[in-house]
Amino acid sequence: MAMTRQIHKNDCIIMNTLEELVPQEHLVRKLDNCIDFRFIEELVKDLYSVAGRPSIPPVVLFKLILINIIFGINSMRRTCEECKVNLAYRWYLGLSIYDDIPNYSTWSQNYIRRYKDSDVFNQIFDTILNQAIEYGFVDMETVFGDGTHQKANANKNKYKDVEVEIVKKVYEEEMLKEINEDRIKHGKKPLENIEKTEIMYDEETGEIKENINTKHIKKSITDTESGCFHKGEKEKCFAYTHQTFCDKNGFVLASITTPGNVHDSVAFFKVYKVLNSKFKDRIKNVCLDAGYINPVICREIILTGHIPLMPYKRPMTGKGFFKKYEYAYDEYYDCYVCPNNEVLSYSTTDKKGYKQYKSDPEKCKNCPLRGQCTKSKNYQKVMTRHIWEEYKEQANENRYTKLWKDNYPLRKETIERVFGDCKEQHGLRYTRVRGLLKNEQNATMIFACHNLKKMANWRWKQAPNIDLNKTIIQRIIPFLKFIKQKAVYSN
């Protein structure tokens, strides 16, 4: 076969509409088919003036954000440039081939002047989620929670060491009340408050100091609201953490953003409160990973009427020593019994909510198992038990049920996949904006787009909305207009 040289054909006239040129299976058609975004006009109408020159339609501005996130462009400047040449994006925006694409700075100025302090981002997220619920795509019997970090737009080497006050936890007042009840029960003096302490090592003097109610942290100079994140073998950096819950099908139900130095178990309470304010009665089981296993979280889940599904957490005991479960707790006599059948009696309840049980040093001194029990110089073994430990034990018992075996392994298919998809496809790995509010709003839109894309694909598979008769009519009308216009010019 003879070689054919390529001939550039750039001067052809295309007698088609955007409707005809956009493929029927393109993702923008699926997005447009599942939800009508004109609801945004009602959400933001109070943010616009009744006078003045016409503005760019808010639906167009927010659809630019959807294109930016869903198609992984991650730059508003690039998004606007792509929309100039991409006919599918123009079709989704509702702009013709002759309409100008808004300048990339238009979104920034509208955000600063209108949307920054509004609740429109959460309302868009809720509307998309409610639409998915109406379609029957959301299964909230078991919800899956976890946190993921997003690297901040900040240099990890530019920071300063600052002393800050330790924030009061949401459960402290309730825990203090039960601590004092337990202390009075055992004849102890009640505590006035829970002192928050941090142990610090002074490199100059070599002394160990205890700071009360304050702690030292690394504060970024670039983004002051981010937090220093360091976990395991991961790179130490400034980041934000997104605490998120999703359902069995991978639809995000609730999310909040915190600085990266806030532990998952601390940020849990805020997102769990948001989740319960929306869907408390629909949820039965709450599935979390090992980072959330503590008596306070287990108690919170159980008291709200849900079943905690958590994994086994390996004891932190040193090698060669007895594990905590090898000491039997006697609930009736409120004491522990060691592997050598000696009693550890109640001593006190500390300010952190832990009851202390101590052995008799005289009996431990000559115990043949002391080397596996304690290295204490005074030959005394001390055991601790939280005042809410029974809730943790109740959560641990759930591991042996069929409910746990059927649901917990789904974490890797639900919440872990949500984070993986959003990081790889929708820009959740790094952030370009600075400040806690901006990053929370950005994460809200990322999770909203994740839900929208999933809903659009599922909806399209169920009932693709392709009207062939309408397509034919849309082909004919522009042609008739062209013929009419040509006749006018000829005359």
Side-chain angles (χ1 to χ4, degrees):
M1 182 181 291
M3 182 182 70
T4 302
R5 293 183 177 276
Q6 181 184 4
I7 301 174
H8 291 278
K9 300 178 180 179
N10 299 331
D11 56 349
C12 60
I13 299 175
I14 302 174
M15 300 296 296
N16 295 91
T17 64
L18 286 179
E19 181 69 31
E20 174 64 18
L21 293 174
V22 177
Q24 293 294 334
E25 295 294 327
H26 198 285
L27 180 56
V28 294
R29 289 193 180 273
K30 301 176 184 179
L31 298 174
D32 189 67
N33 180 62
C34 70
I35 189 169
D36 186 354
F37 272 98
R38 284 179 293 183
F39 72 87
I40 293 177
E41 296 175 352
E42 188 67 23
L43 296 180
V44 301
K45 66 178 183 180
D46 294 334
L47 304 177
Y48 286 82
S49 173
V50 295
R53 62 187 179 88
S55 67
I56 293 176
V59 175
V60 173
L61 292 178
F62 279 96
K63 280 189 174 182
L64 282 172
I65 292 295
L66 298 181
I67 293 172
N68 177 46
I69 295 174
I70 292 176
F71 294 94
I73 302 175
N74 298 330
S75 166
M76 186 51 67
R77 186 193 294 260
R78 277 188 55 207
T79 301
C80 293
E81 291 299 320
E82 286 291 325
C83 289
K84 291 179 181 179
V85 297
N86 193 310
L87 298 180
Y89 295 167
R90 280 184 173 273
W91 180 90
Y92 187 57
L93 293 174
L95 301 178
S96 74
I97 194 69
Y98 302 108
D99 292 328
D100 291 331
I101 300 296
N103 188 273
Y104 67 90
S105 64
T106 306
W107 165 254
S108 300
Q109 293 302 317
N110 274 271
Y111 173 80
I112 294 170
R113 299 171 185 176
R114 293 187 175 93
Y115 307 135
K116 179 180 178 181
D117 299 320
S118 71
D119 196 39
V120 63
F121 301 98
N122 289 324
Q123 290 176 320
I124 291 174
F125 174 87
D126 291 338
T127 303
I128 293 173
L129 180 59
N130 290 334
Q131 184 71 67
I133 293 173
E134 288 183 14
Y135 287 147
F137 296 155
V138 182
D139 182 359
M140 286 183 283
E141 182 177 355
T142 301
V143 296
F144 302 83
D146 203 355
T148 188
H149 80 281
Q150 182 181 25
K151 285 187 177 181
N153 186 7
N155 190 328
K156 65 180 180 181
N157 297 318
K158 293 184 178 180
Y159 64 87
K160 57 183 178 180
D161 186 77
V162 297
E163 185 177 3
V164 297
E165 184 178 355
I166 299 177
V167 180
K168 182 179 180 182
K169 296 182 176 62
V170 294
Y171 54 83
E172 280 189 6
E173 292 184 3
E174 195 170 356
M175 188 169 73
L176 177 62
K177 180 181 177 182
E178 295 204 25
I179 289 173
N180 287 332
E181 288 177 357
D182 188 74
R183 288 177 66 87
I184 294 172
K185 177 182 175 182
H186 289 90
K188 303 286 183 180
K189 184 179 178 181
L191 302 174
E192 293 183 2
N193 54 38
I194 298 177
E195 293 181 345
K196 297 173 276 292
T197 63
E198 183 194 31
I199 305 299
M200 294 291 296
Y201 177 73
D202 192 331
E203 295 181 355
E204 295 182 0
T205 63
E207 297 179 355
I208 295 177
K209 298 181 179 180
E210 187 179 77
N211 292 337
I212 299 178
N213 296 326
T214 62
K215 64 179 180 179
H216 286 260
I217 64 170
K218 291 180 179 180
K219 187 174 183 179
S220 172
I221 298 175
T222 313
D223 186 353
T224 57
E225 294 183 328
S226 63
C228 185
F229 174 85
H230 190 206
K231 183 178 181 181
E233 299 178 353
K234 295 182 180 179
E235 179 187 6
K236 196 172 186 178
C237 63
F238 289 102
Y240 289 94
T241 300
H242 306 293
Q243 292 294 319
T244 309
F245 274 98
C246 76
D247 78 322
K248 194 173 183 178
N249 295 325
F251 284 90
V252 177
L253 304 176
S255 177
I256 61 106
T257 301
T258 62
N261 55 359
V262 178
H263 194 270
D264 289 350
S265 61
V266 177
F268 164 83
F269 295 93
K270 185 177 179 181
V271 67
Y272 191 62
K273 182 178 179 181
V274 173
L275 180 71
N276 282 322
S277 66
K278 298 178 181 178
F279 312 113
K280 180 179 179 181
D281 296 333
R282 301 186 184 187
I283 298 170
K284 293 183 179 179
N285 314 308
V286 178
C287 189
L288 302 168
D289 69 4
Y292 298 88
I293 299 178
N294 66 52
V296 181
I297 290 180
C298 294
R299 174 181 179 272
E300 181 71 15
I301 295 173
I302 292 172
L303 291 184
T304 51
H306 303 149
I307 300 174
L309 302 177
M310 300 179 177
Y312 172 74
K313 187 176 182 179
R314 186 171 56 189
M316 306 299 288
T317 313
K319 186 177 180 180
F321 287 85
F322 291 125
K323 305 295 188 293
K324 186 174 182 179
Y325 58 76
E326 296 183 78
Y327 296 81
Y329 176 69
D330 191 319
E331 186 176 359
Y332 183 81
Y333 290 103
D334 192 22
C335 67
Y336 274 94
V337 180
C338 75
N340 199 33
N341 293 324
E342 295 295 341
V343 175
L344 284 75
S345 304
Y346 172 86
S347 174
T348 187
T349 304
D350 64 21
K351 56 194 174 185
K352 294 183 179 180
Y354 286 92
K355 297 192 287 184
Q356 297 181 3
Y357 299 84
K358 298 181 179 180
S359 65
D360 185 350
E362 294 299 323
K363 293 182 179 179
C364 293
K365 187 175 182 180
N366 299 317
C367 178
L369 303 177
R370 182 164 59 87
Q372 298 174 263
C373 184
T374 180
K375 285 186 176 180
S376 175
K377 293 181 180 179
N378 62 354
Y379 309 115
Q380 189 175 55
K381 173 67 176 178
V382 179
M383 296 286 294
T384 59
R385 179 181 176 84
H386 200 274
I387 57 173
W388 293 333
E389 190 73 19
E390 64 270 15
Y391 295 103
K392 183 178 176 181
E393 292 172 347
Q394 184 175 339
N396 186 56
E397 291 176 1
N398 293 334
R399 291 194 300 110
Y400 305 100
T401 64
K402 187 177 183 300
L403 179 66
W404 187 95
K405 294 177 182 178
D406 290 342
N407 287 279
Y408 186 79
L410 297 178
R411 282 192 71 258
K412 61 181 179 293
E413 302 173 13
T414 53
I415 190 65
E416 296 292 352
R417 181 171 292 177
V418 168
F419 290 152
D421 288 347
C422 290
K423 284 178 181 289
E424 290 297 319
Q425 301 177 25
H426 306 314
L428 192 66
R429 191 175 301 280
Y430 305 96
T431 177
R432 295 175 179 267
V433 297
R434 294 174 182 170
L436 183 62
L437 177 62
K438 287 184 180 180
N439 276 283
E440 184 163 30
Q441 292 171 340
N442 183 54
T444 300
M445 289 304 296
I446 288 175
F447 291 130
C449 289
H450 168 82
N451 288 347
L452 177 62
K453 183 178 177 181
K454 181 181 285 289
M455 176 175 63
N457 286 323
W458 285 25
R459 177 67 173 169
W460 190 263
K461 290 178 182 178
Q462 277 191 350
N465 186 20
I466 303 176
D467 192 339
L468 296 178
N469 294 326
K470 181 179 178 182
T471 304
I472 294 171
I473 293 173
Q474 289 174 337
R475 291 180 187 178
I476 296 174
I477 291 176
F479 180 72
L480 294 177
K481 288 182 178 179
F482 174 77
I483 296 299
K484 182 179 179 181
Q485 188 178 21
K486 187 175 181 180
V488 171
Y489 289 151
S490 299
N491 295 332

